[in-house]
Amino acid sequence: MLKNSLQALFVLVLSICTLAWAQDYPARSITMIVPFAAGGPTDTLARNLGAILTTTLKQQVIVDNAGGAGGTIGINKVAKARNDGYTLLLMHVGMSTAPAMYSSLPYDTLNDFEYIGQVADVPMTLIGKKALPPNNFKELLPYLKANQDKLTAADAGLGAASQLCGLLFMSAIQTKLLVVSYSGTAPAMTNLIGGQVDLLCDQTTNTTQQIKAGTVKVYGVTSRQRIPSLKDIPTLAEQGLKDFEVVVWHGLYAPKGTPKPVLDKLIAALQGAVQNPTFKARLEELGAEPVPLSKANPESLRTQLQAEIKKWDPIFKKAGVHAD
Ligand code: ASP
């Protein structure tokens, strides 16, 4: 009896302390883990989001790049981090492709995280090094087929959006290029510009500037519709790859067990960010867009992640893609 009362008292005190502590949140800077190299598309999205969250939460949101293994190293870092709201994860569609690609992961995708909400949708572009002979998509296809044993496609490892796009593209044109993997598409882009690799499928948040500056050749966009900021570039679908569509969705996560009042503050801050005109304008310039408010919540992210895991799993099993 006494033991039960003491236990109840202990639980009560603990929840009062947690509530009081959560009310002060955030009392120091927050780390947002980006599971890819600095300077790439996820990093760019995270830094733009981080700037808005910093203003809303009145504490610095610092981006920490933990690249490697298609993002799974950084994801695992967050799964194992303290669940106090001071470590967050920004990750894209790879959260849903990795479970099918790796026969074992060091974290449990559906059970090791709290969901904050969806963040933004980013289309991709198929680009090539400047010295690649084909000047357009029509010329590209026969060239790739004729030279597939000599050409290389860059990506950011199994689980990366660039790998997903490359895989779907090669399967659509029934051509297999040699893949060179990096810790993110920022270093992949450096090597593409340097001419060490030939092709790359990457998000517009990393490619728009290069396309506009003419440092790379562009062969098409992967969204269903053309992108307003790159309106002269046709979609791959309209150039003959029927139904080809890759749009990179992103979510914001926290380690499992992060207190609810803390999550509520983060959800509210994310909802403010997706409606923020500066954030919207910046993403638009980069060919992307924040999600509508209706998607910036935990339920929407959970539903999206579950649906995408179901979608990709049979596709990769069929393609026989596996890291180990
Ligand atoms: N988004 C990754 C990056 O930021 C690369 C990828 O997913 O392809 O580098």
Side-chain angles (χ1 to χ4, degrees):
M1 175 73 175
L2 181 67
K3 197 176 155 211
N4 283 352
S5 316
L6 277 176
Q7 262 172 0
L9 187 67
F10 178 71
V11 171
L12 184 71
V13 170
L14 195 70
S15 47
I16 291 170
C17 288
T18 306
L19 197 68
W21 172 85
Q23 262 161 8
D24 286 341
Y25 173 85
R28 56 182 169 86
S29 63
I30 297 169
T31 299
M32 191 192 293
I33 303 248
V34 163
F36 296 104
T42 316
D43 184 65
T44 298
L45 178 62
R47 283 174 203 273
N48 280 289
L49 176 64
I52 309 291
L53 296 184
T54 293
T55 313
T56 322
L57 296 168
K58 300 188 178 62
Q59 285 292 348
Q60 201 71 33
V61 175
I62 298 161
V63 172
D64 180 10
N65 300 88
T72 57
I73 291 174
I75 300 173
N76 188 41
K77 206 168 164 185
V78 178
K80 308 290 186 292
R82 278 187 71 166
N83 52 8
D84 55 7
Y86 290 99
T87 308
L88 306 177
L89 167 70
L90 181 72
M91 183 49 181
H92 60 36
V93 58
M95 196 79 175
S96 66
T97 58
M101 293 191 177
Y102 291 85
S103 51
S104 75
L105 284 170
Y107 56 86
D108 181 335
T109 305
L110 288 171
N111 294 309
D112 282 353
F113 302 92
E114 299 291 348
Y115 303 86
I116 297 167
Q118 291 193 62
V119 179
D121 292 327
V122 187
M124 304 188 86
T125 47
L126 181 65
I127 57 176
K129 68 177 182 189
K130 215 172 164 192
L132 208 64
N135 288 315
N136 51 51
F137 188 70
K138 208 171 154 219
E139 291 172 13
L140 180 71
L141 288 194
Y143 180 79
L144 294 184
K145 278 197 187 297
N147 297 286
Q148 53 183 306
D149 51 334
K150 297 187 208 74
L151 296 171
T152 49
D155 75 14
L158 281 186
S162 46
Q163 184 257 340
L164 172 67
C165 182
L167 189 79
L168 296 176
F169 175 65
M170 287 191 269
S171 133
I173 64 164
Q174 294 181 355
T175 301
K176 241 186 159 138
L177 309 178
L178 183 71
V179 173
V180 183
S181 292
Y182 296 82
S183 62
T185 49
M189 178 67 89
T190 305
N191 274 10
L192 188 81
I193 294 170
Q196 289 91 355
V197 285
D198 300 303
L199 270 186
L200 171 66
C201 189
D202 195 15
Q203 296 169 68
T204 55
T205 33
N206 200 34
T207 62
T208 300
Q209 267 179 342
Q210 302 304 339
I211 291 170
K212 290 195 166 160
T215 55
V216 295
K217 279 190 176 167
V218 59
Y219 298 108
V221 300
T222 68
S223 44
R224 206 165 275 276
Q225 309 289 340
R226 288 194 187 199
I227 302 166
S229 59
L230 294 169
K231 61 180 183 332
D232 296 336
I233 302 165
T235 67
L236 291 178
E238 77 184 83
Q239 298 183 90
L241 291 192
K242 208 172 155 284
D243 298 329
F244 192 94
E245 186 186 20
V246 187
V247 174
V248 185
W249 60 272
H250 294 78
L252 190 62
Y253 306 82
K256 187 76 182 175
T258 302
K260 168 115 180 20
V262 167
L263 291 173
D264 288 344
K265 283 191 183 173
L266 292 167
I267 295 162
L270 174 64
Q271 295 184 338
V274 300
Q275 298 179 89
N276 182 293
T278 311
F279 187 56
K280 276 189 181 176
R282 181 68 188 127
L283 290 198
E284 214 172 272
E285 269 171 39
L286 296 172
E289 53 183 354
V291 292
L293 183 57
S294 60
K295 288 187 172 183
N297 61 69
E299 294 70 37
S300 175
L301 178 56
R302 184 180 300 113
T303 309
Q304 172 77 0
L305 180 61
Q306 284 170 344
E308 288 275 300
I309 289 175
K310 275 209 184 103
K311 172 179 158 180
W312 295 117
D313 187 72
I315 295 176
F316 295 134
K317 289 230 165 85
K318 205 171 146 202
V321 186
H322 254 288
D324 40 56

